[in-house]
Amino acid sequence: MDGQKRHVIIKDNIYWPNGLAIDYDYRTSATAPKQTRIFWADAKLSFIHSCRDDGTDRKVVIDTKEALPHPFALTLLGSKLYWTDWSTRSIHSCNKITGQDIQLVHDNIYSPMDIHVYSQQRQPRAVNPCEHNSLKNGGCSHLCLMSPTTPFYKCACSTGVRLLKDGKTCAKGASKLLLLARRTDIRRISLDTPDYTDVVLQIDNIKQAIAIDYDPVDKLVYWTDDEVRAIRRASLSGLGDEVVVRTEIDHPDGVAIDWIARNMYWTDTGTDRIEVARLNGTSRKVLINEHLDEPRAIVIDPIHGYMYWTDWGKLPKIEVAYMDGTQRHTIVNTSLGWPNGLAVDIKSEVVYWADAKEDKIEMVNRDGTGRKVLVSSPIPHIFGFSVLDDHIYWTDWQSRSIERVDRKTGGNRTFIIDQLPDLMGLKAVNVYRVEGTNPCANNNGDCSHLCLYRPIGHICTCPTGLELIADGKTCIIPEAFILFSRHADIHRLSLETNYNDNIIPLRGIREASALSFDIVENRVYWMDTNLKIISRAFMNGSAIETVIPHGLEFPESICVDWVARNIYWTDTGTNRIEMARMDGSSRRVLIWKDLEPRSLALDPAHGHIYWSSWDQNPKIERASLGGTGRKVMISRVGRTIGLAIDYEDRKLYWADLDSKVIEVADLTGKQRQHVVRDSLTHPRGLTQYGEFIYWSDWDRKVIEKANKSSGLNRTTIKRRLDNVMDLLVYHASRQSGWNSCGKDNGGCQHLCIAHAREDKSNYTHHCECPTHYKIIRDTKGNKTCAAPESFMLFSQKTLISRMVVDTEESPNVVLPLSNLRNLKAIEYDQEQRHIYWIDGKSKSIKRSFDNGTKVNSGTFLYNGGAHQPYDMVINPYMRHLYWTCSKNNSINVTSLDGTFIGVIRIGKGKPRSLAIHPEKGYLFWTNMVGSPKIERSALDGKSDIVIISSDLGKPTSLAVDRDIGLLCWTDIDHQRIECSDLAGANRRGLVHSKVHAPIGLAIFGQYLYWIDKQQSLIERIDKIMGEGRKRIQSRVRNLTDLMAVKYITAEAMLLHACSKDNNIQCSHICILTRDGRNAQCSCPINMALSKDGLTCTAPPTCASNQFMCSNEEFGCIPISWQCDGQKDCPKGEDEVNCPKCRPGQFKCDNEECVPNSNRCDGKKNCRDNSDEKDCCLRDEFKCLDFTCVEWHRRCDNQIDCPDDSDEDPRMCKSPIVPPQISPTPEESKSPRPNDERYTVGIVVGFVIVVLIVIGVVIYACKKRRRLRGTDEHSIVYVTHKPSSYISGPSTPPLTASSRCARTSRTTCFSETSRASEGSAMPLCQYDRNHVTGQSSSNSSVINYIPPETLNPPPSPVTDRSVYAGFDGGYRGTYSSSNSPSTVRSYRHYKPRHIPPPPTTPCSTDVCEESEPYPPSKNKYYKPRDYVNEVNYDSDPYPPPPTPRSHYFSAEEPSCPPSPSTERSFFINPFPPPPSPEPTSEC
């Protein structure tokens, strides 16, 4: 009972020994001697046997299948033996000696499992050696275990603790531990004892543990959790769990504890930073945030003052720096792939690392010398890594193991733990060893906050936002400092502590220009001229967000209205001054006429904005905060920049680039004078604080200050600063004053505008609305706004703008819609205020509210590439979206609730552009066949007619005037715009000249509007007279579509017969009767209207030799009647679309047939010459829409094809040789001397290649046949039998696939081809358990490391959506991992790495349900000819209560002992039913 002298007593004729019981008082008769005997039941072989306790004297008790269908548990009492049986669902008994007198004790038990008899006889009294001779607990400090040998007991310790030399006392605990992060739990493994048992720390709510470290002083474990984005800590027992860092942390991949200075370091691959904080999470500071791509592991050497980290980005490297982040340099940057693990031996200052891509463990000296490979044998996917004493320890995702080697030689490789999934970081520690010291250990180095040790001595430093005063030890909150921007950085420069310069840790800045700040929320705002956005963040660099993401061209200056909580900015690209709320909402254009704005200044307390204008007569102007009352304040100036207001003295300062001076005037423009005029070469930023003005000089690369009145006391406060774009002083005095908008936004719904003090009205403020919105005049004080009802929309490649013309407001404004890519067409739903757009990149239709909220990220319509939407229109009455598909050449209908209605037209030409007249019930479209047409039908696609068929080049857009019944279209080939009535009559040209590429068309009010893509403009003309042509928008790049939104009143809605408001009950489509007054229901193609006249149903099914008519009542006709020249169906559809041309023939437009070989041969074969249409010349490029352009115009950065295909970046990257001009007849007749030689060479080469391919295929088939031996099943893995295996009818315990093995034979070709079919692969085709070692109960083990991956990810699991691999429907057939809780997905990596590396060992083919990420078509696999040897002799958890149901024999398939749930019994809360499933193949 002490676990010693383990040996096998029964090994023959045993298969599934389920039940076991000991009889302490076994006698064959009353006079026979007493003996101890063991009874067991075998569920596979259907017997109950017994033997002595040494295995001898084996006897049969029961051995019939009828009596023992499926025995499970045993017990006994007296002469009776009792057992449970899964098959009979009962408890039975018999005589324990003879097996006779079998009786039913209890039946109808759902799933009988274990059984015991409760009786004193089952626990007979005996002498306890642990309490013998006055010994208490045998004298053991912990456990006293009984033993059959003298002195009949033995002392033992708890798991992982050593027994001391006295044999009785246990050590106070494990001294050497492996601390293991295992995604959803933290474990410890003692290295003091050889069993290496892992113990789970009792900590809740671990979601995605990644990195781990240990503090030997407080004996606390620290780990990072990527899902909850936090760093946590707890004791070794799991108690005292707490979060120490929870804010501004994205993906913490590494953590390191400075046990001397009591600091914590970590890497964050989301923010690309290395940060430090005190161990309790306070005094946080960013050490490094530049030139980091994907920082991962981090280790520190606090004794010598160094920190090391790995970066697995595009340029992998290992770097070192002082522990304050200075003196940074790279020590390894060659022959690296994914340096996941890192460790340092402090005594020798040797750095060790593990590379998961190169599959190596290497070492190098701290200075980068002495690089050496320690381990290069197969390491499938290493992740966690640590060094302790003489060994290196690591975790491996693919082999699911923890291993170690000698750290000096790389030898003596040993497994610590095997087959434990979800392994992440680990740390090998000596729990009681605390080594080294430095000055930070004594009173924190006398530092008030952070003490960071360096090789040259310690340094005191401050958390972000605080400044170190002159004593070099104390941090204070500064009262004032300078903010300045330099390209990708924003700095803060102290005005109180020797002008210390610190970078605010902001990521993602490309070209920071203008700055502003908000003293209330402690935020900084900046403009990025490269990204064309306005962003903000807190002063410590946290909570970065984009507030204005769209509609900026060249943002120049920004100011914060700290009272009303608004922002103002100028844009020199759009020549506008705009405003918005501080979060970017309620955007409004203030001034846009006669404007070239530059610098901006704000005076909220007095209600004014000031700006400089660089037009032909540069000046400084002023207006009210609402943009009214515009007035020139200062003229006769040059190009002025850097406006700054002195709010105390009421003065305005500016710098003049032309006269190179800094001037000042009062806020009325008077008392103007020079302040600084000497050595001012190129002033840029300008600000004022206290008695000084501050400015930057681009040429001299300095920041200076001078007295604000006299310009004296001029001082350079910072040198060697390139490209300072803007600067200002952060201080409360720079944002003082108040107005009535400061209280509850003045009661306004959107924008509050404070009135200037000189305003004579009785109001102190008024409310305004976003651009194009209108104030609702009501009794509540005109404080709410109404959205616009009628307007126009136009789209560019990545933007959608709203346009209102002939008003006093700004004509257009960009809508706040994000993630727009390659827009093709737009539509608008008035009722829900949804904007719909076709995304050309994803080939889908998406939608969003017009205010940018609730973008349908899943898209409105997406069919995985089955469709390619081209154009769309909305029927507002039936709330249907009509859209054309250029891939299927169809017109489709989808309800605006997302329900697909059906196809109304297909197989009849190429419908493209759409227009709708819902009041008349008409649908119009362009048919882009050989001779383009414009057609019309009812809204169900029926009653179709061609209305325009002649003199059409390429009609690209349609528009309908629903007021006067006008149809207009653009013709890009003929470069004109034409109109007709709704029947195609009264055709007339409206625009004939100066139209280059008209692609968008809309009718709004009295005017016809169109887009000219080539000229990047929007124009209009009178829709009736063709007069008054006017340019509305110009210099608008990448225009794609244009539409008009006309408001439909509620009364008009009710008047329409098909309106949803009239409770029309049509199940699919409602159309108008001929008079347009009544409604009738109709159906899409392949559906028929039922007898109720409302509901569409599937048409009646006809036999294969019958044709189905559309009339449900008429039914089916013989197939021979179809296309026989006689109309047999009521509507004659049996004679529609009858083919006249045979296969291999081309159908001319006049219905003639010619051979396909005559197509585009330069000859007129069709009498109408239609066989030569849409053919490009040899020196022409054929666009995707079949138009032709000259070859030299391809990839010339000038769009020539209407569909942009001549400038497709993917095509332009490929070197395509232009086609050669066809030779003349004379040239073609003259033979070339090498023609015959070339022909013979090509033929011979082709034959050789074919022979080689055939040889390779034959060799592969033979090789695979040898692997399979005599059995040609689709699974080619060699397996071992279980250790307790005996010869007989059984199957190696693989998976449920095994039962299919005898019937799922395949050729050597089918194995490869089926494996690549993704989810279409049949269930019995492939068995992943051979690779993973996992089965339905997780009780299997791999003895050989699986094949390594070609490209396994370097980091933890990303997302469940990655699970789209080749085993498709397999997911449900695999059990969860050994993890006690379900593993959640890891994260997405940053989109800048495309494609992002998935981050689980899925690519290593070891995914189970806890790791649901199988490989996708071998993307990450390196093909190898591995034949895995699988053994099933151990498992980190106990085996299930019965062997898996799919353990059958290849020779004799037997029924499973219990139903195949394909899951582990340990993860099923209820026992399985006792009989096989009905679907069993047995």
Side-chain angles (χ1 to χ4, degrees):
M1 291 178 67
D2 61 355
Q4 302 298 313
K5 297 186 178 181
R6 172 183 172 184
H7 63 281
V8 176
I9 61 173
I10 297 293
K11 63 179 180 180
D12 298 324
N13 193 25
I14 188 170
Y15 207 86
W16 288 332
N18 276 354
L20 190 67
I22 299 178
D23 190 348
Y24 308 110
D25 188 19
Y26 180 87
R27 301 172 190 266
T28 56
S29 66
T31 59
K34 183 176 67 172
Q35 59 180 267
T36 301
R37 201 163 185 88
I38 298 173
F39 290 78
W40 75 94
D42 194 303
K44 171 69 176 178
L45 303 180
S46 298
F47 66 64
I48 297 177
H49 284 193
S50 72
C51 69
R52 292 180 180 269
D53 56 4
D54 60 359
T56 61
D57 190 25
R58 179 169 177 173
K59 293 182 179 180
V60 175
V61 181
I62 303 176
D63 63 352
T64 63
K65 183 73 175 179
E66 292 76 15
L68 297 170
H70 194 130
F72 185 71
L74 288 176
T75 190
L76 48 84
L77 181 67
S79 63
K80 289 287 188 179
L81 182 68
Y82 302 86
W83 70 92
T84 59
D85 194 294
W86 279 11
S87 181
T88 65
R89 301 185 180 183
S90 303
I91 299 174
H92 303 270
S93 70
C94 71
N95 185 280
K96 70 180 180 182
I97 298 174
T98 65
Q100 302 299 315
D101 191 24
I102 298 177
Q103 296 181 6
L104 176 66
V105 179
H106 189 40
D107 60 358
N108 292 324
I109 305 172
Y110 170 67
S111 184
M113 303 296 285
D114 202 3
I115 186 172
H116 284 278
V117 172
Y118 182 87
S119 172
Q120 178 64 43
Q121 298 178 39
R122 296 300 299 148
Q123 293 185 354
R125 297 186 181 275
V127 175
N128 181 4
C130 289
E131 302 294 336
H132 190 56
N133 294 330
S134 301
L135 283 176
K136 290 186 177 181
N137 198 39
C140 304
S141 65
H142 287 71
L143 295 174
C144 180
L145 305 178
M146 287 187 286
S147 171
T149 60
T150 306
F152 305 109
Y153 71 91
K154 185 177 182 180
C155 295
C157 304
S158 56
T159 301
V161 179
R162 291 181 298 110
L163 187 66
L164 299 182
K165 293 181 179 181
D166 64 2
K168 294 182 180 293
T169 308
C170 295
K172 61 180 180 180
S175 60
K176 294 183 180 180
L177 290 177
L178 280 181
L179 299 174
L180 175 63
R182 194 179 163 267
R183 290 214 179 128
T184 56
D185 61 52
I186 303 296
R187 304 188 178 204
R188 67 172 190 265
I189 302 170
S190 173
L191 299 176
D192 291 352
T193 56
D195 57 286
Y196 301 135
T197 302
D198 56 312
V199 178
V200 179
L201 275 60
Q202 299 304 305
I203 303 172
D204 296 329
N205 299 319
I206 298 177
K207 302 298 184 182
Q208 191 74 32
I210 304 295
I212 193 167
D213 204 356
Y214 179 70
D215 173 23
V217 176
D218 292 335
K219 295 181 174 46
L220 295 176
V221 182
Y222 289 75
W223 71 93
T224 67
D225 193 313
D226 185 80
E227 183 166 323
V228 299
R229 300 183 178 184
I231 300 176
R232 301 170 63 184
R233 67 181 179 183
S235 68
L236 286 172
S237 64
L239 299 177
D241 168 36
E242 63 176 325
V243 176
V244 291
V245 179
R246 68 167 69 247
T247 59
E248 272 305 294
I249 188 167
D250 283 354
H251 300 303
D253 272 6
V255 65
I257 301 302
D258 179 354
W259 64 92
I260 298 177
R262 317 303 294 149
N263 297 324
M264 168 177 54
Y265 293 73
W266 70 91
T267 60
D268 193 320
T269 193
T271 60
D272 289 338
R273 295 175 178 174
I274 297 176
E275 298 189 57
V276 66
R278 300 292 286 165
L279 288 180
N280 60 4
T282 61
S283 301
R284 182 172 170 180
K285 178 181 178 66
V286 176
L287 293 179
I288 298 175
N289 69 332
E290 295 180 314
H291 310 299
L292 290 175
D293 194 356
E294 299 287 354
R296 165 60 56 70
I298 184 170
V299 294
I300 60 172
D301 176 1
I303 297 177
H304 299 97
Y306 292 100
M307 66 175 179
Y308 306 82
W309 68 93
T310 68
D311 191 317
W312 60 271
K314 292 181 179 179
L315 299 174
K317 56 185 178 290
I318 300 173
E319 297 186 78
V320 62
Y322 289 176
M323 291 179 66
D324 64 348
T326 61
Q327 300 300 313
R328 171 186 177 185
H329 65 278
T330 302
I331 57 174
V332 181
N333 60 2
T334 59
S335 300
L336 287 176
W338 297 325
N340 276 352
L342 189 67
V344 60
D345 179 59
I346 294 178
K347 293 182 179 179
S348 62
E349 295 189 76
V350 173
V351 180
Y352 301 84
W353 76 91
D355 194 311
K357 187 175 184 181
E358 300 295 330
D359 295 338
K360 293 179 181 179
I361 295 176
E362 299 186 65
M363 59 183 288
V364 73
N365 295 324
R366 177 175 53 78
D367 59 3
T369 63
R371 181 173 179 177
K372 175 184 175 182
V373 176
L374 277 178
V375 182
S376 59
S377 56
I379 309 176
H381 194 103
I382 198 166
F383 188 79
F385 194 75
S386 187
V387 169
L388 178 65
D389 296 335
D390 294 330
H391 294 100
I392 298 173
Y393 300 82
W394 72 88
T395 62
D396 193 295
W397 280 356
Q398 183 170 329
S399 63
R400 302 179 175 189
S401 62
I402 300 174
E403 298 181 66
R404 78 177 181 188
V405 295
D406 187 280
R407 71 173 177 85
K408 296 180 180 179
T409 65
N412 194 24
R413 185 170 175 177
T414 307
F415 277 89
I416 302 297
I417 291 287
D418 196 12
Q419 285 310 300
L420 185 63
D422 301 331
L423 298 174
M424 303 302 291
L426 90 163
K427 179 71 174 181
V429 299
N430 189 313
V431 177
Y432 305 108
R433 183 191 301 167
V434 181
E435 296 180 323
T437 187
N438 64 46
C440 291
N442 185 16
N443 195 31
N444 196 37
D446 292 328
C447 302
S448 65
H449 289 75
L450 290 169
C451 179
L452 306 180
Y453 184 63
R454 306 172 300 168
I456 58 175
H458 76 288
I459 183 174
C460 296
T461 187
C462 300
T464 303
L466 275 65
E467 291 185 2
L468 196 66
I469 63 174
D471 66 1
K473 298 180 180 181
T474 308
C475 299
I476 64 167
I477 299 175
E479 184 180 355
F481 52 86
I482 291 177
L483 286 173
F484 66 91
S485 57
R486 291 179 62 204
H487 288 310
D489 298 321
I490 296 177
H491 296 241
R492 49 185 296 164
L493 185 65
S494 173
L495 292 177
E496 302 177 12
T497 56
N498 301 320
Y499 304 121
N500 292 327
D501 180 10
N502 293 289
I503 298 176
I504 299 178
L506 300 167
R507 70 182 190 277
I509 299 178
R510 297 284 186 83
E511 191 72 42
S513 57
L515 297 174
S516 190
F517 67 90
D518 173 28
I519 199 74
V520 176
E521 295 185 351
N522 196 31
R523 294 183 193 258
V524 59
Y525 289 73
W526 71 93
M527 299 177 121
D528 194 313
T529 56
N530 183 284
L531 300 176
K532 302 183 187 305
I533 60 175
I534 297 175
S535 303
R536 69 178 180 179
F538 290 114
M539 282 295 177
N540 62 2
S542 65
I544 300 174
E545 60 179 317
T546 300
V547 293
I548 303 294
H550 307 296
L552 300 179
E553 292 191 16
F554 298 106
E556 178 71 20
S557 184
I558 182 173
C559 286
V560 165
D561 178 350
W562 59 91
V563 179
R565 318 303 294 158
N566 299 323
I567 54 173
Y568 291 72
W569 68 91
T570 62
D571 190 323
T572 61
T574 60
N575 285 329
R576 292 177 173 180
I577 299 176
E578 298 187 61
M579 70 177 297
R581 299 293 289 162
M582 297 186 86
D583 61 1
S585 63
S586 304
R587 183 172 174 178
R588 178 177 178 82
V589 178
L590 291 180
I591 305 172
W592 71 95
K593 295 179 180 178
D594 304 322
L595 191 66
E596 290 187 25
R598 292 287 173 161
S599 296
L600 187 69
L602 213 62
D603 185 5
H606 290 75
H608 291 135
I609 54 174
Y610 299 80
W611 71 93
S612 61
S613 184
W614 284 15
D615 52 20
Q616 293 181 350
N617 299 304
K619 50 187 168 292
I620 298 175
E621 298 185 70
R622 186 184 79 177
S624 71
L625 292 174
T628 60
R630 182 175 174 182
K631 177 182 179 182
V632 175
M633 299 298 297
I634 300 173
S635 58
R636 293 180 292 106
V637 294
R639 294 171 298 156
T640 56
I641 61 170
L643 296 183
I645 298 176
D646 183 342
Y647 297 108
E648 184 176 348
D649 292 344
R650 309 300 299 156
K651 292 188 176 181
L652 178 68
Y653 294 83
W654 70 91
D656 194 314
L657 287 177
D658 295 328
S659 59
K660 294 180 172 50
V661 297
I662 296 176
E663 295 186 71
V664 64
D666 63 25
L667 293 179
T668 64
K670 301 176 181 178
Q671 301 180 18
R672 178 177 173 181
Q673 66 181 41
H674 291 177
V675 179
V676 179
R677 67 174 68 202
D678 299 326
S679 301
L680 201 65
T681 57
H682 194 148
R684 178 65 186 181
L686 177 67
T687 189
Q688 175 270 333
Y689 168 62
E691 296 300 317
F692 294 93
I693 55 173
Y694 300 80
W695 71 92
S696 63
D697 193 305
W698 268 16
D699 290 347
R700 299 177 57 224
K701 301 177 182 179
V702 296
I703 294 177
E704 297 183 85
K705 75 173 183 177
N707 184 275
K708 68 179 182 181
S709 301
S710 63
L712 300 178
N713 298 326
R714 184 170 174 176
T715 306
T716 299
I717 62 176
K718 194 69 176 178
R719 302 180 185 275
R720 295 186 294 276
L721 290 175
D722 294 324
N723 303 314
V724 175
M725 303 298 294
D726 194 13
L727 84 162
L728 50 84
V729 171
Y730 183 96
H731 188 263
S733 65
R734 298 297 302 154
Q735 290 190 348
S736 59
W738 192 85
N739 60 50
S740 56
C741 289
K743 183 178 180 181
D744 299 328
N745 194 38
C748 301
Q749 179 187 9
H750 290 279
L751 299 168
C752 179
I753 306 297
H755 291 181
R757 292 194 176 182
E758 63 270 17
D759 183 70
K760 303 301 183 183
S761 69
N762 295 326
Y763 301 98
T764 58
H765 69 275
H766 71 278
C767 299
E768 283 288 4
C769 301
T771 300
H772 299 159
Y773 282 61
K774 298 294 184 182
I775 283 286
I776 299 175
R777 306 296 176 182
D778 54 21
T779 58
K780 297 181 180 180
N782 306 330
K783 296 181 178 181
T784 57
C785 300
E789 296 177 341
S790 297
F791 48 88
M792 300 184 71
L793 296 172
F794 65 87
S795 61
Q796 297 164 261
K797 195 170 184 178
T798 58
L799 299 172
I800 298 176
S801 299
R802 182 174 56 233
M803 180 170 65
V804 177
V805 294
D806 300 331
T807 68
E808 292 301 317
E809 288 193 89
S810 172
N812 70 290
V813 62
V814 175
L815 299 180
L817 305 177
S818 301
N819 302 318
L820 303 184
R821 301 175 301 174
N822 201 15
L823 289 178
K824 294 298 184 183
I826 53 176
E827 251 296 344
Y828 187 80
D829 171 29
Q830 166 191 311
E831 182 175 316
Q832 296 294 328
R833 303 197 66 84
H834 272 141
I835 292 180
Y836 292 77
W837 67 90
I838 293 177
D839 188 314
K841 189 167 185 178
S842 63
K843 297 179 176 58
S844 61
I845 299 175
K846 299 185 177 183
R847 73 180 177 190
S848 165
F849 288 109
D850 58 5
N851 60 5
T853 60
K854 296 185 180 180
V855 176
N856 188 352
S857 58
T859 71
F860 172 74
L861 174 68
Y862 178 67
N863 290 85
H867 298 304
Q868 188 166 334
Y870 185 89
D871 196 13
M872 58 185 170
V873 292
I874 285 178
N875 178 354
Y877 300 103
M878 272 297 291
R879 303 199 50 70
H880 284 168
L881 180 77
Y882 289 75
W883 53 280
T884 55
C885 174
S886 60
K887 186 172 184 177
N888 301 330
N889 292 319
S890 61
I891 301 177
N892 311 272
V893 186
T894 301
S895 173
L896 293 185
D897 64 6
T899 304
F900 183 66
I901 301 299
V903 179
I904 63 171
R905 187 175 182 87
I906 192 170
K908 298 180 180 180
K910 300 177 180 179
R912 293 297 185 262
S913 298
L914 289 173
I916 191 171
H917 195 314
E919 290 81 6
K920 293 285 187 182
Y922 289 151
L923 183 70
F924 301 84
W925 67 90
T926 60
N927 191 346
M928 302 306 292
V929 292
S931 297
K933 305 175 180 63
I934 298 177
E935 302 184 38
R936 188 193 79 188
S937 75
L939 293 181
D940 59 355
K942 300 179 177 64
S943 305
D944 54 313
I945 59 172
V946 176
I947 59 174
I948 303 291
S949 59
S950 62
D951 196 20
L952 284 175
K954 183 181 178 182
T956 54
S957 185
L958 300 175
V960 170
D961 189 320
R962 290 146 60 177
D963 294 328
I964 62 174
L966 188 68
L967 172 69
C968 298
W969 64 92
T970 58
D971 193 320
I972 197 170
D973 281 359
H974 294 162
Q975 295 185 340
R976 66 190 182 199
I977 300 174
E978 298 182 80
C979 296
S980 72
D981 61 26
L982 300 182
N986 301 315
R987 179 176 176 179
R988 59 192 176 93
L990 203 64
V991 183
H992 301 276
S993 61
K994 297 181 181 180
V995 180
H996 298 276
I999 60 168
L1001 196 65
I1003 299 175
F1004 189 75
Q1006 186 63 26
Y1007 296 98
L1008 176 73
Y1009 295 78
W1010 72 92
I1011 284 174
D1012 194 316
K1013 185 173 183 179
Q1014 184 171 324
Q1015 298 186 79
S1016 299
L1017 53 81
I1018 300 175
E1019 292 188 86
R1020 79 177 185 188
I1021 200 168
D1022 188 281
K1023 65 183 180 183
I1024 299 175
M1025 304 303 297
E1027 299 174 345
R1029 182 171 177 176
K1030 181 180 179 181
R1031 182 172 298 182
I1032 302 300
Q1033 296 282 336
S1034 59
R1035 295 185 301 169
V1036 186
R1037 296 170 293 180
N1038 302 316
L1039 286 165
T1040 59
D1041 199 12
L1042 175 71
M1043 70 162 297
V1045 177
K1046 181 181 178 182
Y1047 181 69
I1048 302 175
T1049 64
E1051 292 78 11
M1053 278 284 184
L1054 288 173
L1055 290 176
H1056 196 282
C1058 283
S1059 173
K1060 286 283 188 181
D1061 296 339
N1062 290 327
N1063 295 319
I1064 296 299
Q1065 300 299 314
C1066 296
S1067 66
H1068 285 69
I1069 300 172
C1070 176
I1071 60 175
L1072 297 175
T1073 55
R1074 289 185 178 273
D1075 59 10
R1077 297 178 179 178
N1078 299 304
Q1080 67 182 53
C1081 299
S1082 184
C1083 301
I1085 293 174
N1086 296 327
M1087 297 193 79
L1089 194 63
S1090 60
K1091 295 180 180 180
D1092 64 5
L1094 299 173
T1095 309
C1096 296
T1097 59
T1101 303
C1102 296
S1104 59
N1105 62 347
Q1106 293 179 320
F1107 175 81
M1108 181 176 62
C1109 298
S1110 60
N1111 189 305
E1112 182 179 0
E1113 296 180 359
F1114 195 81
C1116 307
I1117 62 174
I1119 194 69
S1120 59
W1121 293 6
Q1122 183 185 14
C1123 296
D1124 61 354
Q1126 182 176 349
K1127 296 180 179 180
D1128 300 293
C1129 292
K1131 297 183 180 180
E1133 58 266 36
D1134 56 317
E1135 300 300 321
V1136 176
N1137 296 329
C1138 294
K1140 293 185 179 181
C1141 298
R1142 299 187 302 275
Q1145 291 185 324
F1146 170 77
K1147 186 177 181 180
C1148 308
D1149 289 350
N1150 60 3
E1151 308 299 320
E1152 290 180 301
C1153 300
V1154 299
N1156 282 339
S1157 58
N1158 292 348
R1159 176 88 167 91
C1160 294
D1161 62 354
K1163 300 177 182 179
K1164 180 178 179 181
N1165 300 291
C1166 297
R1167 281 183 292 178
D1168 60 358
N1169 201 29
S1170 57
D1171 60 316
E1172 298 302 315
K1173 288 186 177 182
D1174 296 328
C1175 299
C1176 293
L1177 302 178
R1178 287 291 187 91
D1179 61 341
E1180 289 183 328
F1181 172 77
K1182 189 173 184 179
C1183 306
L1184 294 180
D1185 62 354
F1186 301 104
T1187 58
C1188 306
V1189 298
E1190 295 175 353
W1191 181 266
H1192 69 271
R1193 294 189 177 184
R1194 172 189 166 274
C1195 302
D1196 62 352
N1197 295 320
Q1198 181 68 34
I1199 295 173
D1200 301 291
C1201 292
D1203 58 7
D1204 302 355
S1205 57
D1206 61 314
E1207 300 299 326
D1208 188 340
R1210 294 169 295 181
M1211 177 193 68
C1212 292
K1213 289 180 180 178
S1214 304
I1216 300 178
V1217 179
Q1220 302 299 316
I1221 305 299
S1222 302
T1224 63
E1226 291 74 20
E1227 292 173 333
S1228 61
K1229 290 177 182 178
S1230 58
R1232 287 174 288 185
N1234 292 327
D1235 282 356
E1236 294 181 2
R1237 194 180 310 161
Y1238 291 155
T1239 303
V1240 172
I1242 291 172
V1243 172
V1244 172
F1246 177 79
V1247 172
I1248 292 173
V1249 170
V1250 170
L1251 291 175
I1252 292 173
V1253 170
I1254 293 174
V1256 170
V1257 171
I1258 293 174
Y1259 171 79
C1261 291
K1262 289 182 177 180
K1263 183 174 182 180
R1264 185 162 297 192
R1265 192 174 293 113
R1266 287 197 298 272
L1267 289 175
R1268 286 196 297 263
T1270 59
D1271 191 44
E1272 296 183 1
H1273 303 316
S1274 60
I1275 300 174
V1276 295
Y1277 296 91
V1278 177
T1279 59
H1280 292 300
K1281 301 170 185 177
S1283 58
S1284 58
Y1285 179 85
I1286 64 171
S1287 299
S1290 63
T1291 292
L1294 302 179
T1295 66
S1297 304
S1298 304
R1299 64 183 178 191
C1300 309
R1302 296 183 62 83
T1303 58
S1304 59
R1305 297 174 181 269
T1306 181
T1307 67
C1308 64
F1309 296 102
S1310 64
E1311 291 184 271
T1312 302
S1313 62
R1314 291 182 187 180
S1316 64
E1317 288 177 358
S1319 60
M1321 189 171 68
L1323 179 63
C1324 302
Q1325 184 65 31
Y1326 180 73
D1327 181 12
R1328 274 176 69 220
N1329 295 334
H1330 294 83
V1331 184
T1332 64
Q1334 177 205 0
S1335 66
S1336 62
S1337 65
N1338 289 324
S1339 64
S1340 54
V1341 179
I1342 298 179
N1343 280 354
Y1344 190 87
I1345 298 176
E1348 67 175 352
T1349 62
L1350 173 63
N1351 188 21
S1355 62
V1357 141
T1358 48
D1359 188 74
R1360 288 185 185 270
S1361 63
V1362 181
Y1363 187 41
F1366 61 79
D1367 65 343
Y1370 266 39
R1371 181 171 358 190
T1373 68
Y1374 293 98
S1375 74
S1376 67
S1377 71
N1378 295 330
S1379 173
S1381 60
T1382 303
V1383 175
R1384 293 178 64 91
S1385 61
Y1386 190 56
R1387 64 170 182 274
H1388 288 291
Y1389 272 79
K1390 291 176 292 189
R1392 63 187 178 191
H1393 299 300
I1394 305 295
T1399 52
T1400 68
C1402 297
S1403 52
T1404 64
D1405 196 18
V1406 293
C1407 301
E1408 54 192 65
E1409 190 174 83
S1410 65
E1411 309 165 70
Y1413 321 98
S1416 177
K1417 298 188 179 179
N1418 297 328
K1419 180 176 180 181
Y1420 296 107
Y1421 280 101
K1422 183 183 295 183
R1424 290 192 179 180
D1425 295 329
Y1426 279 94
V1427 180
N1428 290 347
E1429 298 182 2
V1430 183
N1431 205 328
Y1432 298 83
D1433 57 359
S1434 66
D1435 193 84
Y1437 284 103
T1442 186
R1444 278 168 295 291
S1445 59
H1446 43 268
Y1447 286 16
F1448 349 114
S1449 167
E1451 294 79 21
E1452 178 185 299
S1454 61
C1455 288
S1458 62
S1460 175
T1461 61
E1462 304 294 328
R1463 302 280 292 181
S1464 166
F1465 292 105
F1466 283 120
I1467 61 174
N1468 193 335
F1470 297 103
S1475 61
E1477 291 179 294
T1479 58
S1480 172
E1481 295 182 25
C1482 302

